[in-house]
């Protein structure tokens, strides 16, 4: 699957949070988006995934213009995001969070619920098996039956990744997967991302932890004040003078 | 005394149906419905008009009450579910007041402020046996509602509406449309309120617009807050507690005869208000406890 964004723009009043940003990403690729706080990275994610309606530009998936689709339909097309602040279903357990994320459940239909209970039980046990695999993959076994609101920040990030995986995505947009996560867990999450990427899932990752991100990403896009100021291989992009000035304040 | 007790139980059972509907809508799905009485009113008038005026069998009135109240929720859902929570609350409150004004003004159909008298009883006779029979029918209806409710809560549908309550944006991000679920929940809760209204009309035997003011909605809210939102047991226990306050305060005058009948009405509402404040302060999770451990 190939995502192409062209001239995406979003203004709040006179302030252009995202200003004519264009780039591409595809299944199997791993693209990083960096930039100082307030550069417009999360706003860009919301424009791509349909959570915000911008003032211009197009979002194309495999050539189809999806700019007018609501968020849930874009997700159903295989492009699924996480959030900077995890949005877990706090009163549901980790297992229930993951179960809820599975697509096309006939048990979510009230008529089927009362007329085809046996079929739904079969479907539930198939989903439960996938959930067990996901829990094992993310090593969340110890907290599987804990209400997710009680998890640590890092565990919530893992849970969000798990929920996204349950949807069988082709392209995953991660918003700061390492923020507030301890170094050991960062390595673990990086490992999961690498493994999934090797399986052909594409990633676009917003991250402040440049070290971890540049070890993962094949290409970096740098944003500053809503604009894309640089794109390229991590080692090369981070050396550029305008990037160092915008992002690192010239100090590093 | 026994007749009085049975009467209280009947009213309680009618209110439990309302509480179950709101528990589904608010406790499980997070929909702030401030217009519950509107659907109750539609059910009551549908049953009243079809049985007292049109002379149709009681069962037809009941079915119409359920269907019409449910149908009324559908357009409200389509319009209002695009709004944020607080606006949804205002729209539903406006809806219930609109319903009340319509039944007040549509004199040809509803007899206006005079209301509709002579609604046939569910079970003929005046003795305690007929009251017990009505109670039995109500308990059966409650049993059926609770059975369906439990099936829904334990299902993927139930899981999804709780996910919507906890975080609607995340539900969208996972490729599911919250509006589809919220409309169904709104219609289900409204249909339950319509059923409750039909029971009410046939039990009281008379409907008039002033029986359907917003206070009814807020009584139901008080019941589920005291009992514990999002739990079936909370809806039942909370409603029983509400009735205890509303009816129990009636006996206060036996102990304190200096309280006038007019004062009593205020004291009754004051007592419920005080209970609500104390609950929010000291037991915000309600009498039946945390809704995360409902199963």
């Amino acid at each position: 699957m190939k995502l192409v964004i062209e001239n995406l723009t979003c203004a709040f009043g006179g302030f252009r949070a995202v200003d004519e940003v264009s780039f591409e990403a595809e299944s199997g690729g791993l693209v990083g988006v960096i930039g100082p706080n307030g550069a417009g990275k999360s706003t860009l994610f919301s424009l791509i995934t349909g959570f915000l309606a911008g003032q211009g530009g197009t979002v194309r998936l495999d050539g189809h213009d999806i700019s007018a689709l609501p968020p849930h339909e874009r997700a159903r097309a295989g492009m699924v995001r996480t959030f900077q602040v995890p949005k877990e279903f706090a009163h549901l357990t980790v297992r229930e969070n993951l179960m809820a994320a599975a697509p096309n459940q006939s048990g979510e239909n009230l008529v089927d619920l009362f007329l085809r209970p046996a079929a739904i039980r079969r479907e539930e046990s198939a989903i439960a098996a996938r959930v067990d695999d996901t829990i094992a993959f993310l090593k969340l076994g110890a907290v599987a039956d804990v209400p997710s609101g009680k998890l640590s920040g890092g565990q919530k990030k893992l849970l969000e990744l798990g929920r996204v995986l349950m949807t069988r995505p082709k392209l995953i947009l991660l918003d700061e997967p390492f923020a507030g996560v301890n170094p050991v867990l960062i390595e673990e999450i990086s490992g999961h991302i690498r493994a999934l990427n090797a399986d052909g899932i594409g990633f676009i990752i917003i991250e402040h932890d440049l070290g971890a991100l540049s070890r993962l990403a094949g290409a970096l896009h740098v944003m500053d004040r809503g604009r894309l100021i640089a794109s390229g291989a991590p080692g090369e992009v981070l050396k550029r003078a305008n990037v160092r000035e915008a992002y690192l304040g010239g100090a590093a | 005394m026994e007749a009085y007790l049975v009467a209280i139980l009947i009213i309680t059972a009618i209110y439990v149906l309302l509480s179950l509907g709101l528990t589904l809508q608010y406790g499980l799905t997070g929909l702030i419905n401030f217009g519950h009485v509107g659907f109750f009113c539609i059910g009551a008038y549908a049953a009243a008009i079809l049985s007292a005026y049109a002379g149709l069998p009681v069962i037809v009135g009941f079915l119409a009450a359920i269907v019409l109240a449910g149908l009324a929720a559908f357009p409200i859902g389509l319009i209002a579910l695009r709004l944020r929570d607080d606006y949804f609350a205002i729209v539903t409150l406006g809806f219930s007041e609109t319903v009340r004004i319509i039944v007040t003004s549509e004199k040809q159909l509803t007899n206006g402020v005079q209301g509709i008298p002579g609604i046939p009883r569910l079970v003929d006779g005046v003795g305690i046996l007929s009251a017990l029979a009505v109670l039995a029918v109500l308990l059966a209806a409650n049993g059926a509602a609770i059975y369906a409710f439990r099936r829904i809560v334990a299902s993927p549908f139930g899981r999804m509406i709780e996910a919507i309550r906890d975080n609607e944006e995340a539900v969208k991000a996972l490729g599911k449309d919250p509006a589809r679920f919220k409309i169904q929940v709104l219609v289900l809760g409204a249909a339950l309120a319509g059923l409750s209204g039909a029971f009410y009309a046939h039990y009281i035997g008379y409907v008039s617009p002033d029986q359907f003011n917003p206070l009814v909605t807020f009584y139901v809210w008080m019941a589920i807050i005291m009992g514990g939102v999002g739990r079936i047991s909370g809806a039942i226990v909370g409603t029983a507690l509400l009735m205890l306050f509303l009816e129990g305060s009636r006996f206060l005058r036996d102990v304190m005869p200096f309280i006038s009948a007019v004062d009593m009405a205020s004291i009754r509402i004051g007592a419920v208000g005080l209970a609500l404040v104390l609950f929010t302060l000291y037991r915000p999770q309600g009498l039946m406890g945390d809704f995360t451990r409902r199963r």
Side-chain angles (χ1 to χ4, degrees):
Chain A
M1 190 164 81
K2 187 169 188 183
L3 168 75
V4 179
I5 61 169
E6 276 171 346
N7 301 324
L8 279 186
T9 299
C10 180
F12 301 108
F15 173 70
R16 292 198 146 197
V18 173
D19 197 356
E20 306 211 332
V21 171
S22 308
F23 66 72
E24 300 178 357
E26 58 191 328
S27 304
L30 208 159
V31 174
V33 179
I34 64 169
N37 284 326
K41 306 183 295 297
S42 290
T43 307
L44 177 67
F45 263 24
S46 292
L47 290 173
I48 296 174
T49 51
F51 280 84
L52 273 178
Q55 276 78 36
T58 53
V59 181
R60 273 184 237 279
L61 264 185
D62 289 336
H64 303 287
D65 188 346
I66 59 160
S67 310
L69 291 185
H72 66 272
E73 287 183 27
R74 298 191 198 194
R76 222 174 281 170
M79 180 176 73
V80 186
R81 73 172 295 185
T82 65
F83 296 89
Q84 194 172 353
V85 178
K87 293 187 190 290
E88 76 284 1
F89 305 132
H91 294 97
L92 303 189
T93 65
V94 167
R95 197 181 293 279
E96 288 169 330
N97 265 268
L98 295 170
M99 298 280 290
N104 308 321
Q105 301 186 37
S106 37
E108 288 174 0
N109 181 316
L110 279 179
V111 178
D112 285 353
L113 192 61
F114 286 94
L115 297 184
R116 301 174 48 232
I120 286 165
R121 267 196 301 278
R122 276 196 302 277
E123 216 179 86
E124 281 283 278
S125 55
I127 295 170
R130 281 193 61 211
V131 165
D132 285 339
D133 292 346
T134 306
I135 286 174
F137 175 64
L138 297 174
K139 301 197 183 80
L140 283 170
V143 291
D145 296 307
V146 173
S148 61
K150 297 205 165 79
L151 301 183
S152 73
Q155 289 170 326
K156 286 180 186 175
K157 294 272 180 191
L158 276 176
L159 173 61
E160 274 213 323
L161 179 60
R163 264 193 338 205
V164 167
L165 293 178
M166 286 302 295
T167 69
R168 301 187 192 279
K170 297 187 186 88
L171 188 62
I172 302 178
L173 285 73
L174 298 177
D175 197 342
E176 300 201 10
F178 305 138
V181 177
N182 72 59
V184 179
L185 206 48
I186 287 181
E187 273 316 302
E188 221 163 85
I189 296 176
S190 296
H192 296 321
I193 293 173
R194 255 186 224 106
L196 294 165
N197 194 219
D199 281 349
I201 296 178
F203 283 88
I204 306 176
I205 303 176
I206 293 176
E207 190 42 67
H208 275 296
D209 185 334
L210 288 184
L213 186 60
S214 40
R215 280 194 295 279
L216 280 172
L220 284 186
H221 295 291
V222 188
M223 285 184 75
D224 185 31
R225 279 167 281 180
R227 301 194 73 98
L228 212 55
I229 59 166
S231 300
E236 185 253 330
V237 164
L238 292 176
K239 281 187 197 121
R240 289 195 203 170
N242 62 342
V243 172
R244 294 169 72 95
E245 187 168 338
Y247 191 47
L248 309 167
Chain B
M1 188 63 204
E2 288 85 359
Y4 177 67
L5 199 66
V6 174
I8 301 292
L9 287 175
I10 288 174
I11 292 290
T12 305
I14 289 172
Y15 265 80
V16 167
L17 288 175
L18 284 175
S19 300
L20 286 171
L22 194 61
T23 296
L24 184 68
Q25 292 174 342
Y26 176 69
L28 293 178
T29 320
L31 292 173
I32 303 177
N33 174 6
F34 278 173
H36 211 35
V37 68
F39 305 106
F40 182 60
C41 179
I42 289 171
Y45 267 89
I49 290 167
L50 290 177
S51 59
Y53 282 2
L56 292 170
V58 168
I59 184 73
V60 176
F62 265 80
L63 290 177
I66 295 169
V67 171
L68 288 176
L71 280 181
F74 191 70
I76 301 292
L78 284 185
I79 301 163
L81 292 177
R82 300 178 193 287
L83 304 173
R84 252 176 35 208
D85 292 351
D86 34 3
Y87 292 103
F88 178 71
I90 294 166
V91 167
T92 51
L93 182 61
F95 163 75
S96 75
E97 281 297 271
T98 309
V99 169
R100 193 165 64 91
I101 291 165
I102 288 174
V103 297
T104 311
S105 327
E106 281 295 320
K107 295 198 179 65
Q108 282 166 331
L109 194 61
T110 65
N111 203 23
V113 285
Q114 274 90 43
I116 302 172
I119 305 165
R121 299 283 156 134
L122 218 45
V123 180
D124 285 328
V126 283
I128 191 155
L129 280 179
S130 66
L132 281 172
V134 170
L135 183 59
V137 176
L138 257 166
L139 289 179
N142 271 294
I146 289 168
Y147 168 77
F149 199 121
R150 289 178 65 100
R151 282 284 291 273
I152 290 173
V153 168
S155 75
F157 183 92
R159 188 165 63 211
M160 189 44 61
I161 60 177
E162 289 189 72
I164 290 168
R165 174 199 63 207
D166 283 357
N167 203 308
E168 198 173 330
E169 294 238 293
V171 169
K172 288 184 195 166
L174 294 170
K176 318 232 174 180
D177 183 11
R180 185 172 81 82
F181 293 91
K182 284 158 79 174
I183 286 181
Q184 292 183 59
V185 165
L186 200 65
V187 168
L188 274 180
L192 213 47
L195 172 67
S196 174
F199 272 115
Y200 179 81
H202 284 285
Y203 177 65
I204 304 287
Y206 165 75
V207 290
S208 74
D210 60 0
Q211 292 162 331
F212 303 100
N213 61 41
L215 189 62
V216 176
T217 298
F218 293 104
Y219 276 153
V220 181
W221 272 93
M222 289 174 194
I224 70 165
I225 289 170
M226 290 192 292
V229 292
R231 294 180 65 111
I232 294 169
S233 58
I236 298 167
V237 171
T239 308
L241 202 62
L242 176 78
M243 289 302 152
L244 200 68
F245 275 110
L246 291 181
E247 293 299 323
S249 53
R250 212 184 277 277
F251 296 104
L252 203 62
R253 284 185 70 204
D254 298 343
V255 195
M256 289 182 271
F258 52 87
I259 298 172
S260 76
V262 180
D263 289 343
M264 202 53 243
S266 311
I267 287 177
R268 194 187 289 179
I269 294 177
V272 177
L274 179 66
L276 203 59
V277 170
L278 292 175
F279 263 100
T280 352
L281 278 178
Y282 298 107
R283 202 165 165 80
Q285 72 273 44
L287 209 58
M288 300 312 290
D290 189 348
F291 58 72
T292 60
R293 283 191 295 270
R294 71 212 169 271
R295 284 172 196 149

